[in-house]
Amino acid sequence: ETGVTQSPTHLIKTRGQQVTLRCSSQSGHNTVSWYQQALGQGPQFIFQYYREEENGRGNFPPRFSGLQFPNYSSELNVNALELDDSALYLCASSTNPHGLLNTEAFFGQGTRLTVV
Amino acid sequence: KQEVTQIPAALSVPEGENLVLNCSFTDSAIYNLQWFRQDPGKGLTSLLLIQSSQREQTSGRLNASLDKSSGRSTLYIAASQPGDSATYLCALEAAGNKLTFGGGTRVLVKP
């Protein structure tokens, strides 16, 4: 196990609703990145948080937002849910932001979101 | 824009056979390359991390090579076992604070 925990593990929401997913980073890690993985595809980068600030964002609309707390845990919020938001949401923690040093990313088990 | 491709998309081998999984990428300006394993519906387990200055990494039955000039990495799994059945993903770390993933290779090792 990596020490990265995500909650909840599964979630069903209705189109138009809002959802909050949570991630506790591994001890000693100050960087959390979020990824969306659609069925049968590789994960796609949503954004990264480093020391409570957003530190890079992928090609996702503003209704995808996040937070990082002083203990480096993080939340992913998605507003106005769409059917295509159904996916496995993964968070990864690391000791440094990607692109600095050679940083190994450790992933949680993911949250399976189904939008109906 | 970095593009990562994994071929084949799926692979089925008898137990004991060696596995060779390929990953190709378009931009050689990378910091490192990481191989992951993913079991159905689960998160990602890191297998090997190859730094940009390295040519290969080994862990037990796993060996991964990196050739930046040709934009290729190969993951070798020796003497495959049914427990090796999973999806294997390669991911590149480059500028922009993100990992860029391939689509994965789904492996089935038959007893």
Side-chain angles (χ1 to χ4, degrees):
Chain A
E1 294 214 351
T2 63
V4 180
T5 58
Q6 292 186 242
S7 62
T9 55
H10 297 83
L11 199 55
I12 299 175
K13 287 287 190 177
T14 303
R15 189 171 50 183
Q17 285 187 313
Q18 178 266 343
V19 69
T20 297
L21 310 181
R22 295 177 175 83
C23 173
S24 294
S25 60
Q26 186 164 314
S27 177
H29 288 188
N30 57 20
T31 303
V32 172
S33 303
W34 286 92
Y35 292 82
Q36 180 196 66
Q37 186 179 25
L39 198 61
Q41 298 182 20
Q44 298 290 316
F45 176 73
I46 303 174
F47 44 56
Q48 181 184 89
Y49 279 83
Y50 170 59
R51 294 184 176 178
E52 304 179 57
E53 298 286 334
E54 186 177 292
N55 187 46
R57 188 178 182 92
N59 189 27
F60 280 81
R63 59 189 185 84
F64 285 77
S65 63
L67 284 172
Q68 188 177 34
F69 299 99
N71 66 355
Y72 302 130
S73 66
S74 177
E75 287 183 354
L76 164 65
N77 299 291
V78 187
N79 293 322
L81 283 167
E82 302 176 0
L83 298 179
D84 284 350
D85 296 332
S86 295
L88 181 67
Y89 288 84
L90 297 162
C91 82
S93 78
S94 54
T95 54
N96 288 289
H98 299 317
L100 292 182
L101 307 178
N102 288 291
T103 303
E104 187 168 5
F106 296 90
F107 281 77
Q109 291 301 293
T111 294
R112 171 69 63 187
L113 173 65
T114 302
V115 182
V116 298
Chain B
K1 177 186 172 184
Q2 178 73 273
E3 292 186 4
V4 183
T5 303
Q6 292 186 247
I7 295 174
L11 187 60
S12 179
V13 299
E15 182 177 1
E17 192 165 300
N18 296 332
L19 284 163
V20 180
L21 307 179
N22 298 303
C23 173
S24 62
F25 48 94
T26 55
D27 187 347
S28 62
I30 65 172
Y31 294 104
N32 62 47
L33 184 146
Q34 202 166 349
W35 281 94
F36 293 91
R37 169 186 171 136
Q38 186 174 34
D39 293 296
K42 303 295 185 182
L44 308 182
T45 300
S46 178
L47 298 175
L48 291 167
L49 173 73
I50 311 175
Q51 298 178 7
S52 61
S53 59
Q54 297 176 319
R55 300 280 293 181
E56 66 177 344
Q57 278 286 352
T58 298
S59 176
R61 295 184 295 113
L62 276 60
N63 174 275
S65 65
L66 174 62
D67 184 345
K68 289 199 306 178
S69 62
S70 66
R72 292 183 181 180
S73 177
T74 302
L75 176 66
Y76 300 89
I77 304 177
S80 62
Q81 304 168 358
D84 294 329
S85 298
T87 296
Y88 292 84
L89 294 151
C90 69
L92 279 70
E93 177 180 336
N97 303 320
K98 66 177 182 179
L99 292 176
T100 302
F101 283 84
T105 296
R106 191 170 66 254
V107 171
L108 176 63
V109 180
K110 298 179 179 178

